[in-house]
Amino acid sequence: MKSQARVVVIGGGVVGVSVLYHLTKRGWTDVMLVERSELTSGSTWHAAGGMHTINGDPNMSHLQAYTVKLYEELERESGQSCGVHRVGCLYLAGTEARAEYFKTELAKAHYLGIGLHEVSMDEVKKINPLVDTSKFTKAMFDPADGHVDPSSVTHAYAKAAKNKGATISLRNPVLELKQKPNGHWLIVTKEGTIEAEYVVNAGGLWAREVGRLAGIDLPILPMEHEYIVTNAIPEVETLDHEIPMTIDFEGESYMRQEQKGLLIGTYEHDCRHWALKGTPQDFGHELLQEDVDRIWSALEFAMTRYPCLEKGGIKRTINGPMVFAPDGNPLVGPVPGLTNYFTACGVMAGFSQGGGVGMVVANWIIDGEPGMDVFAMDVARFGPHNNRAFTIEKTTENYRRRFTMTFPNEELPAARPLKTSPIYPLMKDEGALFGASFGWEYPLWFAPKGTKEEPTYRRSNAFAHVAAEVKAVREHVGIWETSSYGKIEVSGPDAAKFLDRMVSNKLPALGRTVLCPMLSPNGRIFGDLTVTRTAEDTFLMIGSGAAEIYYTRWLGTHAKGERVSIRNVTTDYSGLSLTGPKARDVLQQLTETDLGHTAFPFLHARQIQVGLADALVIRASFTGELGYEIYVAPHNLIHVFERLRSAGAAHGLKLFGVRALHSMRMEKGYGSWGRDFTADYNAAEADWGRFVKFDKGDFIGRAAAEKQFKEPLTRKIWLLEVASQEIDIMGAEPIFAGGKAVARVTSGYFGHSVGKQLALAYLPVAGDQFEVEVLGKRVAASRLKEAPFDPSSSRLRS
Ligand SMILES: Cc1cc2nc3c(=O)[nH]c(=O)nc-3n(C[C@H](O)[C@H](O)[C@H](O)COP(=O)(O)OP(=O)(O)OC[C@H]3O[C@@H](n4cnc5c(N)ncnc54)[C@H](O)[C@@H]3O)c2cc1C
């Protein structure tokens, strides 16, 4: 066995071999995979092998489309069949709401370049004659989907990687992981020790155990999953073609042909975790105890949709464990707090996602970045609060809802409320309806007593109430809570030198705040934060709450050898944004500090007294109005909140939620990180010229950004007005020019004070007239020359 390799991948399931293959594809051939048993010894061997492209997250769909397309190439490279049955996937809907969901998926297919299209019930009868079409109203079909042979795919990846120089060590469990002072890993296996620069945990069912070898607890758990295979069925025997994989969303089942019978599986509500405390090391090519009773009601329902199923009888039942993360997406990337330890696990649909996961991990190791926006599967989207108890509750919810539709305005209830600020009960009393991000509860909007929001793809009953919140802020003053924002303190003798290298803007002087993007080495958008200098050698970075671990990981990775301390101080500060034309009048009543524009200008920060509390106040606002972000110790939050509310009562102060915030930021054309600003775009495309300073020293991504700003742009972020007054933009709608999909909406919201439907998108630089597909209808959209609300920003700077 080799004793050295550049990368060691632990685990020879479909995901591990895909990582190995993609490393070799990028030219890294000194790579090795270590497998405790034979290839496919985890979840992989008993998978149904189904593959499909659609996913709620467009970037996940993109990676699934990549995976699904890869198999023929893999067959050519490896000389090994993947057992590809490209029979397509038929998706069936029998309710109006589900039909609307289909419209949004069909819309996304336009820019994802996938062949998903609507089919009539007559076509359904031809594609899959086993379906009772009277039960359905709408159907979609993707001819690229189908199923593969799990074992053949795994061996094809492995062969193709070996052909390029990779080595695979079988029947060789990894027993220990140690890290040398130079960061290299010592992988202690049954056959000896291997030294590697990088280690990849692709341990699948045992990923938790492989994580523990490096002292980490990964938020994933195995769930039992069952499917049955029937005996031969006369209607199947007489088919003249293989039927496609067929998904009945209301029935929460997937079905495909298996020889002369059918294979049918379901995500039952009465679900079970497996091996909660840890996967036994001696679990091999075994199945779990079958329990058909648990899925019987789903099978009975399926018989009403595919009547011939009744004739089959059950030939065999497969019950196997498959690993889930709390949100059902994979767990990929460098693990925060460790050096050169990557995960490629939590992959619950290995035959739809394994190729994409392998490609992303290989890029990340080789380039230091994944090459596209993969936050939806980044291991850093989870934090310490995502412990085992949390993971149990969320994986239960997620498993049950695998085929259940989540409406765009719907918030899921499991594991909540988890993180609440001191004013949570007060906001609840005021009618706040909450969403959750990174465990934090934050208000969506404030509803009159007894009012709930109906889940819908259309305009909801929140509309008029959000409009009233916007009006109050635009005309008077409002409060939005910012406690959940991610806050990171960077301090120490080398803090300025270090941070100057991390961000593309010039650092602020003492008492000033600056918008500071962070770029990736290839000039892609990495982060978008405000940086406030609170002391000569101390900076407070404030950004999206969902990204606090993502940012601290990035800063920590680059701070090697510098005298700098990086502290996640999110819970040290609670925050309120007081904003609107009367904001100064309200705050001035609570402080002796002169808040006049000259004394306390825009983007300045002061440590002042607010009421009886010490507060860091930053003059900034995401609404486009005069505003102050007020940060205090959590124990002072109620005090400051109550004082502001009493001082604001005479000025028409109103609490507002994130929906009103989105409406107002769209009216100003402000993009937001994670939606409009992601690694899919670069700083030139994001129109960030004023935040990327080439007249300062070197910073990460500088060389790439210089090139991007010099080259002619093909697309750039722009605000669109969309002629849809009754159905609101949700984000991810395709945009057409001359009948061709040219972009997608990155975020959209109704601008309540300007009465316009607004959308942000990276549009081609030429042309002003576009169409946006909104719930199946194409409506006219035009490029706006400037923000529709206060384009000169006089209110913000007043
Ligand atoms: C019943 C069932 C049906 C399914 N149907 C589908 C489907 O239709 N389509 C689909 O896409 N997915 C399906 N899946 C899910 C699919 O099986 C998984 O997504 C996929 O197999 C995950 O692969 P993996 O490589 O991450 O993990 P695994 O297959 O679990 O592989 C992990 C590997 O790591 C090895 N390993 C662990 N610890 C060590 C160690 N210490 N040292 C060395 N090696 C180690 C193991 O031996 C194992 O081979 C199904 C799952 C089940 C249970």
Side-chain angles (χ1 to χ4, degrees), residues 505-525:
N505 206 344
K506 288 183 184 167
L507 290 178
L510 186 61
R512 301 284 297 268
T513 298
V514 170
L515 289 171
C516 284
M518 290 199 279
L519 305 182
S520 76
N522 288 332
R524 290 172 182 272
I525 293 174

PDB file of all heavy atoms in Angstrom, residues 505-525:
ATOM      1  N   ASN A 505     -12.449  46.442  -0.583  1.00  0.00           N
ATOM      2  CA  ASN A 505     -12.559  47.893  -0.373  1.00  0.00           C
ATOM      3  C   ASN A 505     -11.463  48.344   0.577  1.00  0.00           C
ATOM      4  O   ASN A 505     -10.816  47.527   1.237  1.00  0.00           O
ATOM      5  CB  ASN A 505     -13.937  48.226   0.212  1.00  0.00           C
ATOM      6  CG  ASN A 505     -14.369  49.644  -0.126  1.00  0.00           C
ATOM      7  OD1 ASN A 505     -13.541  50.474  -0.533  1.00  0.00           O
ATOM      8  ND2 ASN A 505     -15.643  49.930   0.037  1.00  0.00           N
ATOM      9  N   LYS A 506     -11.265  49.667   0.656  1.00  0.00           N
ATOM     10  CA  LYS A 506     -10.301  50.178   1.631  1.00  0.00           C
ATOM     11  C   LYS A 506     -10.924  50.117   3.009  1.00  0.00           C
ATOM     12  O   LYS A 506     -12.124  50.413   3.169  1.00  0.00           O
ATOM     13  CB  LYS A 506      -9.947  51.621   1.295  1.00  0.00           C
ATOM     14  CG  LYS A 506      -9.081  51.723   0.063  1.00  0.00           C
ATOM     15  CD  LYS A 506      -8.681  53.153  -0.207  1.00  0.00           C
ATOM     16  CE  LYS A 506      -7.891  53.219  -1.493  1.00  0.00           C
ATOM     17  NZ  LYS A 506      -7.722  54.558  -2.004  1.00  0.00           N
ATOM     18  N   LEU A 507     -10.152  49.793   3.997  1.00  0.00           N
ATOM     19  CA  LEU A 507     -10.683  49.667   5.356  1.00  0.00           C
ATOM     20  C   LEU A 507     -11.077  51.040   5.891  1.00  0.00           C
ATOM     21  O   LEU A 507     -10.470  52.056   5.541  1.00  0.00           O
ATOM     22  CB  LEU A 507      -9.637  49.029   6.266  1.00  0.00           C
ATOM     23  CG  LEU A 507      -9.356  47.555   6.003  1.00  0.00           C
ATOM     24  CD1 LEU A 507      -8.267  47.054   6.941  1.00  0.00           C
ATOM     25  CD2 LEU A 507     -10.616  46.707   6.178  1.00  0.00           C
ATOM     26  N   PRO A 508     -12.083  51.078   6.762  1.00  0.00           N
ATOM     27  CA  PRO A 508     -12.523  52.369   7.292  1.00  0.00           C
ATOM     28  C   PRO A 508     -11.537  52.942   8.309  1.00  0.00           C
ATOM     29  O   PRO A 508     -10.797  52.201   8.958  1.00  0.00           O
ATOM     30  CB  PRO A 508     -13.847  52.007   7.984  1.00  0.00           C
ATOM     31  CG  PRO A 508     -13.715  50.561   8.340  1.00  0.00           C
ATOM     32  CD  PRO A 508     -12.865  49.943   7.281  1.00  0.00           C
ATOM     33  N   ALA A 509     -11.609  54.265   8.447  1.00  0.00           N
ATOM     34  CA  ALA A 509     -10.867  54.919   9.537  1.00  0.00           C
ATOM     35  C   ALA A 509     -11.634  54.664  10.830  1.00  0.00           C
ATOM     36  O   ALA A 509     -12.781  54.182  10.811  1.00  0.00           O
ATOM     37  CB  ALA A 509     -10.782  56.412   9.257  1.00  0.00           C
ATOM     38  N   LEU A 510     -11.026  54.995  11.947  1.00  0.00           N
ATOM     39  CA  LEU A 510     -11.669  54.791  13.250  1.00  0.00           C
ATOM     40  C   LEU A 510     -13.027  55.511  13.283  1.00  0.00           C
ATOM     41  O   LEU A 510     -13.142  56.677  12.867  1.00  0.00           O
ATOM     42  CB  LEU A 510     -10.755  55.350  14.354  1.00  0.00           C
ATOM     43  CG  LEU A 510     -11.206  55.090  15.783  1.00  0.00           C
ATOM     44  CD1 LEU A 510     -11.287  53.600  16.074  1.00  0.00           C
ATOM     45  CD2 LEU A 510     -10.245  55.762  16.776  1.00  0.00           C
ATOM     46  N   GLY A 511     -14.063  54.806  13.737  1.00  0.00           N
ATOM     47  CA  GLY A 511     -15.394  55.419  13.832  1.00  0.00           C
ATOM     48  C   GLY A 511     -16.136  55.490  12.507  1.00  0.00           C
ATOM     49  O   GLY A 511     -17.161  56.175  12.397  1.00  0.00           O
ATOM     50  N   ARG A 512     -15.633  54.772  11.522  1.00  0.00           N
ATOM     51  CA  ARG A 512     -16.307  54.779  10.217  1.00  0.00           C
ATOM     52  C   ARG A 512     -16.707  53.358   9.825  1.00  0.00           C
ATOM     53  O   ARG A 512     -16.162  52.376  10.317  1.00  0.00           O
ATOM     54  CB  ARG A 512     -15.376  55.338   9.132  1.00  0.00           C
ATOM     55  CG  ARG A 512     -14.885  56.746   9.389  1.00  0.00           C
ATOM     56  CD  ARG A 512     -15.955  57.779   9.117  1.00  0.00           C
ATOM     57  NE  ARG A 512     -16.368  57.801   7.719  1.00  0.00           N
ATOM     58  CZ  ARG A 512     -15.825  58.596   6.790  1.00  0.00           C
ATOM     59  NH1 ARG A 512     -14.852  59.420   7.112  1.00  0.00           N
ATOM     60  NH2 ARG A 512     -16.260  58.573   5.546  1.00  0.00           N
ATOM     61  N   THR A 513     -17.662  53.288   8.912  1.00  0.00           N
ATOM     62  CA  THR A 513     -18.164  51.999   8.413  1.00  0.00           C
ATOM     63  C   THR A 513     -18.034  51.983   6.889  1.00  0.00           C
ATOM     64  O   THR A 513     -18.291  53.009   6.249  1.00  0.00           O
ATOM     65  CB  THR A 513     -19.645  51.826   8.801  1.00  0.00           C
ATOM     66  OG1 THR A 513     -19.727  51.814  10.220  1.00  0.00           O
ATOM     67  CG2 THR A 513     -20.238  50.545   8.262  1.00  0.00           C
ATOM     68  N   VAL A 514     -17.657  50.848   6.355  1.00  0.00           N
ATOM     69  CA  VAL A 514     -17.491  50.741   4.899  1.00  0.00           C
ATOM     70  C   VAL A 514     -18.109  49.421   4.437  1.00  0.00           C
ATOM     71  O   VAL A 514     -18.035  48.413   5.149  1.00  0.00           O
ATOM     72  CB  VAL A 514     -15.979  50.794   4.541  1.00  0.00           C
ATOM     73  CG1 VAL A 514     -15.744  50.447   3.088  1.00  0.00           C
ATOM     74  CG2 VAL A 514     -15.396  52.165   4.835  1.00  0.00           C
ATOM     75  N   LEU A 515     -18.722  49.428   3.259  1.00  0.00           N
ATOM     76  CA  LEU A 515     -19.212  48.180   2.673  1.00  0.00           C
ATOM     77  C   LEU A 515     -18.021  47.444   2.067  1.00  0.00           C
ATOM     78  O   LEU A 515     -17.319  47.997   1.232  1.00  0.00           O
ATOM     79  CB  LEU A 515     -20.247  48.463   1.584  1.00  0.00           C
ATOM     80  CG  LEU A 515     -21.591  48.967   2.098  1.00  0.00           C
ATOM     81  CD1 LEU A 515     -22.462  49.432   0.948  1.00  0.00           C
ATOM     82  CD2 LEU A 515     -22.302  47.861   2.864  1.00  0.00           C
ATOM     83  N   CYS A 516     -17.788  46.250   2.521  1.00  0.00           N
ATOM     84  CA  CYS A 516     -16.574  45.529   2.128  1.00  0.00           C
ATOM     85  C   CYS A 516     -16.900  44.166   1.547  1.00  0.00           C
ATOM     86  O   CYS A 516     -17.130  43.207   2.289  1.00  0.00           O
ATOM     87  CB  CYS A 516     -15.661  45.336   3.336  1.00  0.00           C
ATOM     88  SG  CYS A 516     -14.790  46.805   3.817  1.00  0.00           S
ATOM     89  N   PRO A 517     -16.904  44.036   0.234  1.00  0.00           N
ATOM     90  CA  PRO A 517     -17.033  42.699  -0.344  1.00  0.00           C
ATOM     91  C   PRO A 517     -15.783  41.868  -0.068  1.00  0.00           C
ATOM     92  O   PRO A 517     -14.694  42.411   0.112  1.00  0.00           O
ATOM     93  CB  PRO A 517     -17.132  42.959  -1.841  1.00  0.00           C
ATOM     94  CG  PRO A 517     -17.412  44.400  -1.996  1.00  0.00           C
ATOM     95  CD  PRO A 517     -16.858  45.080  -0.792  1.00  0.00           C
ATOM     96  N   MET A 518     -15.968  40.566  -0.042  1.00  0.00           N
ATOM     97  CA  MET A 518     -14.825  39.649  -0.066  1.00  0.00           C
ATOM     98  C   MET A 518     -14.960  38.854  -1.363  1.00  0.00           C
ATOM     99  O   MET A 518     -16.061  38.433  -1.712  1.00  0.00           O
ATOM    100  CB  MET A 518     -14.855  38.705   1.142  1.00  0.00           C
ATOM    101  CG  MET A 518     -14.554  39.413   2.448  1.00  0.00           C
ATOM    102  SD  MET A 518     -14.041  38.261   3.756  1.00  0.00           S
ATOM    103  CE  MET A 518     -15.604  37.659   4.318  1.00  0.00           C
ATOM    104  N   LEU A 519     -13.834  38.678  -2.053  1.00  0.00           N
ATOM    105  CA  LEU A 519     -13.843  37.934  -3.313  1.00  0.00           C
ATOM    106  C   LEU A 519     -13.120  36.607  -3.145  1.00  0.00           C
ATOM    107  O   LEU A 519     -12.274  36.465  -2.261  1.00  0.00           O
ATOM    108  CB  LEU A 519     -13.150  38.758  -4.415  1.00  0.00           C
ATOM    109  CG  LEU A 519     -13.696  40.170  -4.657  1.00  0.00           C
ATOM    110  CD1 LEU A 519     -12.944  40.837  -5.804  1.00  0.00           C
ATOM    111  CD2 LEU A 519     -15.196  40.127  -4.968  1.00  0.00           C
ATOM    112  N   SER A 520     -13.435  35.683  -4.020  1.00  0.00           N
ATOM    113  CA  SER A 520     -12.725  34.395  -4.013  1.00  0.00           C
ATOM    114  C   SER A 520     -11.450  34.579  -4.852  1.00  0.00           C
ATOM    115  O   SER A 520     -11.316  35.578  -5.570  1.00  0.00           O
ATOM    116  CB  SER A 520     -13.618  33.319  -4.621  1.00  0.00           C
ATOM    117  OG  SER A 520     -13.640  33.484  -6.023  1.00  0.00           O
ATOM    118  N   PRO A 521     -10.530  33.618  -4.812  1.00  0.00           N
ATOM    119  CA  PRO A 521      -9.310  33.760  -5.610  1.00  0.00           C
ATOM    120  C   PRO A 521      -9.607  34.007  -7.092  1.00  0.00           C
ATOM    121  O   PRO A 521      -8.874  34.729  -7.765  1.00  0.00           O
ATOM    122  CB  PRO A 521      -8.599  32.412  -5.414  1.00  0.00           C
ATOM    123  CG  PRO A 521      -9.102  31.901  -4.100  1.00  0.00           C
ATOM    124  CD  PRO A 521     -10.510  32.408  -3.972  1.00  0.00           C
ATOM    125  N   ASN A 522     -10.700  33.438  -7.609  1.00  0.00           N
ATOM    126  CA  ASN A 522     -11.036  33.645  -9.021  1.00  0.00           C
ATOM    127  C   ASN A 522     -11.927  34.852  -9.254  1.00  0.00           C
ATOM    128  O   ASN A 522     -12.552  34.985 -10.309  1.00  0.00           O
ATOM    129  CB  ASN A 522     -11.706  32.393  -9.596  1.00  0.00           C
ATOM    130  CG  ASN A 522     -10.697  31.267  -9.772  1.00  0.00           C
ATOM    131  OD1 ASN A 522      -9.510  31.531  -9.977  1.00  0.00           O
ATOM    132  ND2 ASN A 522     -11.146  30.040  -9.666  1.00  0.00           N
ATOM    133  N   GLY A 523     -12.030  35.720  -8.262  1.00  0.00           N
ATOM    134  CA  GLY A 523     -12.773  36.966  -8.417  1.00  0.00           C
ATOM    135  C   GLY A 523     -14.277  36.809  -8.276  1.00  0.00           C
ATOM    136  O   GLY A 523     -15.041  37.727  -8.565  1.00  0.00           O
ATOM    137  N   ARG A 524     -14.733  35.640  -7.830  1.00  0.00           N
ATOM    138  CA  ARG A 524     -16.177  35.459  -7.626  1.00  0.00           C
ATOM    139  C   ARG A 524     -16.586  36.125  -6.325  1.00  0.00           C
ATOM    140  O   ARG A 524     -15.753  36.316  -5.438  1.00  0.00           O
ATOM    141  CB  ARG A 524     -16.515  33.970  -7.558  1.00  0.00           C
ATOM    142  CG  ARG A 524     -16.378  33.281  -8.881  1.00  0.00           C
ATOM    143  CD  ARG A 524     -16.522  31.783  -8.755  1.00  0.00           C
ATOM    144  NE  ARG A 524     -16.328  31.165 -10.039  1.00  0.00           N
ATOM    145  CZ  ARG A 524     -17.303  30.964 -10.927  1.00  0.00           C
ATOM    146  NH1 ARG A 524     -18.541  31.307 -10.631  1.00  0.00           N
ATOM    147  NH2 ARG A 524     -17.064  30.418 -12.093  1.00  0.00           N
ATOM    148  N   ILE A 525     -17.883  36.408  -6.200  1.00  0.00           N
ATOM    149  CA  ILE A 525     -18.363  37.041  -4.978  1.00  0.00           C
ATOM    150  C   ILE A 525     -18.318  36.016  -3.855  1.00  0.00           C
ATOM    151  O   ILE A 525     -18.916  34.944  -3.966  1.00  0.00           O
ATOM    152  CB  ILE A 525     -19.793  37.555  -5.180  1.00  0.00           C
ATOM    153  CG1 ILE A 525     -19.775  38.691  -6.197  1.00  0.00           C
ATOM    154  CG2 ILE A 525     -20.403  38.005  -3.852  1.00  0.00           C
ATOM    155  CD1 ILE A 525     -21.145  39.192  -6.589  1.00  0.00           C
TER     156      ILE A 525
END
